[in-house]
Amino acid sequence: GAGVSQSPRYKVAKRGQDVALRCDPISGHVSLFWYQQALGQGPEFLTYFQNEAQLDKSGLPSDRFFAERPEGSVSTLKIQRTQQEDSAVYLCASSLDGAGGNYNEQFFGPGTRLTVL
Amino acid sequence: RKEVEQDPGPFNVPEGATVAFNCTYSNSASQSFFWYRQDCRKEPKLLMSVYSSGNEDGRFTAQLNRASQYISLLIRDSKLSDSATYLCVVNTGFQKLVFGTGTRLLVSP
């Protein structure tokens, strides 16, 4: 079956531009996560949705970062006024159900590699 | 101090060798523990969960020591295809995963 898909796979932006990154989770998965992975580092948590509700956005590095999942399926991560330090791979993951705090395996998409010049 | 700490390596080993990775975590309230594998320019994929009783999956053995807040992964009879970055991952509750920086393994012929 189809896994998590992300688009675009690569994005080059000039400093100061706004970008929007899209994530299509596995069909039927309730929970959706965004992570940021800088070169040579492990992924770092940005934000988490359960259906359309954004339950945790503690990892968003600044108010230039905004995520939404209006219909509880596709999600968009938007970065306004991009800076060079935003250059990273942005990974999206989904899991079946996050209810009750029980852990369900998170399946990752291929990521969007963002380069800010 | 990072929440999850790992030796970044690289670990260079010959085929057939046994190699062990370790990681420590700082949040004593952490609830579940994992090893993920990440190939170059690919997404992380779950390798195995880690339990206090220890668990084994073929050539891979994982162990958790809650008292020491220490997690290990042992790979026996290394294959060329085991070359990858191994990420130590902790679930601190409510789905959020915390990743270590990863340990890079290079298996050579």
Side-chain angles (χ1 to χ4, degrees), chain A residues 3-114:
Chain A
V4 178
S5 61
Q6 292 187 244
S7 62
R9 292 292 312 278
Y10 301 90
K11 176 70 180 177
V12 178
K14 290 184 180 177
R15 190 174 55 175
Q17 277 186 331
D18 298 349
V19 298
L21 313 180
R22 177 187 167 109
C23 172
D24 283 83
I26 293 172
S27 178
H29 276 197
V30 170
S31 298
L32 185 145
F33 308 82
W34 284 99
Y35 294 85
Q36 179 191 58
Q37 186 171 24
L39 190 64
Q41 302 295 316
E44 292 200 3
F45 171 82
L46 294 177
T47 187
Y48 157 53
F49 291 85
Q50 195 173 106
N51 295 306
E52 69 279 1
Q54 189 174 20
L55 299 187
D56 187 344
K57 53 182 182 179
S58 62
L60 295 176
S62 77
D63 59 8
R64 296 185 296 104
F65 287 71
F66 171 77
E68 59 183 5
R69 194 186 184 198
E71 296 177 0
S73 178
V74 170
S75 177
T76 303
L77 176 67
K78 296 179 179 177
I79 310 173
Q80 296 176 322
R81 304 180 305 280
T82 52
Q83 304 293 315
Q84 284 187 321
E85 62 262 29
D86 300 335
S87 295
V89 175
Y90 290 85
L91 293 162
C92 176
S94 69
S95 68
L96 192 56
D97 184 8
N102 294 318
Y103 179 76
N104 287 274
E105 181 180 350
Q106 294 182 22
F107 295 87
F108 284 80
T112 294
R113 184 174 297 273
L114 173 65

Side-chain angles (χ1 to χ4, degrees), chain A residues 37 42 102-103 106 109 113, chain B residues 34 36 38 41 43 46 95 100:
Chain A
Q37 186 171 24
N102 294 318
Y103 179 76
Q106 294 182 22
R113 184 174 297 273
Chain B
F34 312 92
Y36 272 69
Q38 186 171 29
R41 293 183 170 263
E43 71 272 22
L46 180 65
Q95 313 304 312

